[in-house]
Amino acid sequence: MLAVSDGGKPDLTMSEFALNKLEEVFTKLKRSVWVFHLNTGSCNGCDIEVLDVLTPYFDVERFGIKLVGSPRHADLILLTGPVTIKTIGKVVRAVKAMPRPRLVLALGSCGVGGGIWFNTYATLGGYPQLEKILKDAGVEVDRVVYVPGCPVRPEAIIYGVAVLLGLLQPKSKHRRVSAVEG
Amino acid sequence: MVKFLKMLSISVREGTATRKYPFESPLVTPEFRGKIEIDPVKCVGCGACTRICPPKALTIGNEGDEIVLKYFEGRCIFCGMCAYVCPQKAITVSKEFELATWELGDLYDEVVHTTVKCRICGKPFTTVKFVKEVEKRIDNKVPEDLLTVCPECRKKLTARKIGSKVVGVSGE
């Protein structure tokens, strides 16, 4: 696990930490990432793909990625599901329990934009809505990567982790084209 | 010990099971459906795809004087229904699935259409290309005065016409 100490400055506030220490932290993070799998009301499609990534077939342990049982040991949360109303409290607690830097990988259509449950009464509709609640609760998340897919392919998860660690530049770009007469 | 030797012979015969994904091409079958691509030349902005889309990843709406067809990859479930219903065959399903990004805004694709304004109330109500396509498909048989009238005004116009015919009341 990557323990991040503040280097003898325990009175550093959280936002100061994010501004000053984050670069240093990411150079340390290049070593190895421990992940915690957080299901927030997913249909289990993405969860099966997460397990698939951890099997010897894709074997992410060759990159040092390891599944841990507690958010207190983790650097990265694999968030699947559209965040149902019932899970909000537990999700906030799990994210809060993670040591800084907090990294989140929002997986699947549900995690990114709510999927087909984007506007139901029982769900929040993905990570962007949860981010506001986390902000209100005073929980800062240092970096988020959105990985769409329904369910996400194991290759897409590996690609997402590579993007998160800054090994790759994201391919997706916002495109706005005008409809040409033809 | 004997068991271990047995495993050794099997592993030598079978080789390595692990895929070297970032260093080799991903396993993508011909049936695989990835992100969709909207051809801005063929798209007329009819909105058939936005009505069939199960998670409403495709939306169409007015932005000032323009009509914008928005595609949010982050909500897409890659079912391919939009490509199936598109009357112009403007939507194709690609094999692209490596869509991970920092910014939510990077996951939006937009096609901007120029609009036709209603000749009575002056509100933009449909796209220029859609009106042209309708004209083409029904061999220019639409009365010229109805083609550039928005649905609301068309109702009133038709009611007035019927009124003037049946009752003999003048439309104005």
Side-chain angles (χ1 to χ4, degrees):
Chain A
M1 198 216 139
L2 296 156
V4 179
S5 70
D6 281 347
K9 282 182 198 168
D11 52 348
L12 208 66
T13 64
M14 280 306 190
S15 52
E16 271 174 1
F17 170 83
L19 280 172
N20 306 324
K21 289 276 172 183
L22 211 56
E23 285 303 312
E24 194 187 311
V25 160
F26 277 116
T27 55
K28 283 181 184 173
L29 259 181
K30 275 174 189 159
R31 281 188 286 172
S32 179
V33 179
W34 286 17
V35 300
F36 175 67
H37 178 196
L38 183 63
N39 182 337
T40 65
S42 157
C43 69
N44 279 356
C46 292
D47 306 311
I48 288 165
E49 301 295 324
V50 166
L51 294 183
D52 205 5
V53 168
L54 298 162
T55 57
Y57 192 65
F58 286 100
D59 194 24
V60 283
E61 280 191 32
R62 67 201 151 119
F63 307 119
I65 299 167
K66 190 188 166 193
L67 191 75
V68 291
S70 163
R72 287 178 204 283
H73 300 162
D75 302 300
L76 168 65
I77 274 190
L78 302 176
L79 188 134
T80 62
V83 194
T84 55
I85 301 294
K86 285 229 172 190
T87 61
I88 293 172
K90 283 116 185 166
V91 170
V92 171
R93 268 172 62 204
V95 176
K96 204 173 177 178
M98 265 211 299
R100 299 293 289 275
R102 296 194 185 100
L103 311 174
V104 170
L105 203 67
L107 294 180
S109 301
C110 299
V112 179
I116 52 174
W117 296 284
F118 68 100
N119 62 354
T120 70
Y121 62 90
T123 65
L124 272 185
Y127 185 80
Q129 268 69 34
L130 179 71
E131 201 167 27
K132 291 166 197 160
I133 289 179
L134 287 175
K135 211 170 258 178
D136 290 344
V139 182
E140 282 183 58
V141 173
D142 293 313
R143 201 172 266 193
V144 187
V145 162
Y146 300 97
V147 188
C150 189
V152 274
R153 284 176 69 93
E155 286 105 332
I157 299 176
I158 297 171
Y159 183 84
V161 174
V163 168
L164 184 94
L165 299 179
L167 306 173
L168 288 170
Q169 282 301 309
K171 277 193 234 169
S172 292
K173 285 278 172 296
H174 177 234
R175 281 194 313 149
R176 190 183 171 93
V177 286
S178 51
V180 201
E181 301 277 329
Chain B
M1 185 63 190
V2 180
K3 259 188 185 174
F4 167 71
L5 286 175
K6 214 173 169 183
M7 277 303 291
L8 202 67
S9 71
I10 290 169
S11 69
V12 165
R13 195 176 66 234
E14 299 294 327
T16 314
T18 307
R19 293 192 67 82
K20 305 182 181 75
Y21 159 62
F23 312 107
E24 68 175 20
S25 57
L27 183 75
V28 174
T29 54
E31 299 86 21
F32 179 73
R33 295 187 302 268
K35 135 189 196 185
I36 62 160
E37 261 151 27
I38 307 165
D39 188 349
V41 177
K42 286 181 186 166
C43 179
V44 293
C46 62
C49 48
T50 67
R51 281 192 289 277
I52 198 85
C53 186
K56 298 283 173 280
L58 282 155
T59 48
I60 197 161
N62 287 40
E63 276 184 18
D65 269 1
E66 289 161 340
I67 285 179
V68 181
L69 177 66
K70 263 191 194 175
Y71 170 47
F72 180 31
E73 290 156 29
R75 196 177 287 156
C76 182
I77 60 167
F78 309 101
C79 60
M81 284 303 285
C82 44
Y84 179 73
V85 298
C86 182
Q88 298 299 106
K89 299 276 169 273
I91 296 175
T92 47
V93 179
S94 72
K95 303 228 180 298
E96 186 58 50
F97 66 88
E98 291 164 333
L99 307 167
T101 163
W102 318 102
E103 292 284 329
L104 211 56
D106 283 345
L107 295 174
Y108 282 93
D109 277 1
E110 289 164 16
V111 179
V112 183
H113 287 273
T114 47
T115 49
V116 176
K117 281 182 180 132
C118 174
R119 69 177 168 83
I120 295 172
C121 64
K123 247 186 354 195
F125 71 101
T126 188
T127 65
V128 173
K129 285 173 88 179
F130 188 49
V131 170
K132 276 187 186 160
E133 184 63 26
V134 169
E135 257 184 322
K136 202 179 90 188
R137 286 211 182 190
I138 52 176
D139 298 332
N140 300 321
K141 276 175 193 158
V142 185
E144 204 42 50
D145 61 330
L146 281 181
L147 205 59
T148 56
V149 179
C150 75
E152 286 298 309
C153 295
R154 198 182 304 154
K155 269 184 214 163
K156 289 176 193 165
L157 201 73
T158 318
R160 276 205 206 109
K161 270 186 190 167
I162 293 168
S164 60
K165 262 186 193 167
V166 177
V167 194
V169 185
S170 84
E172 297 310 312

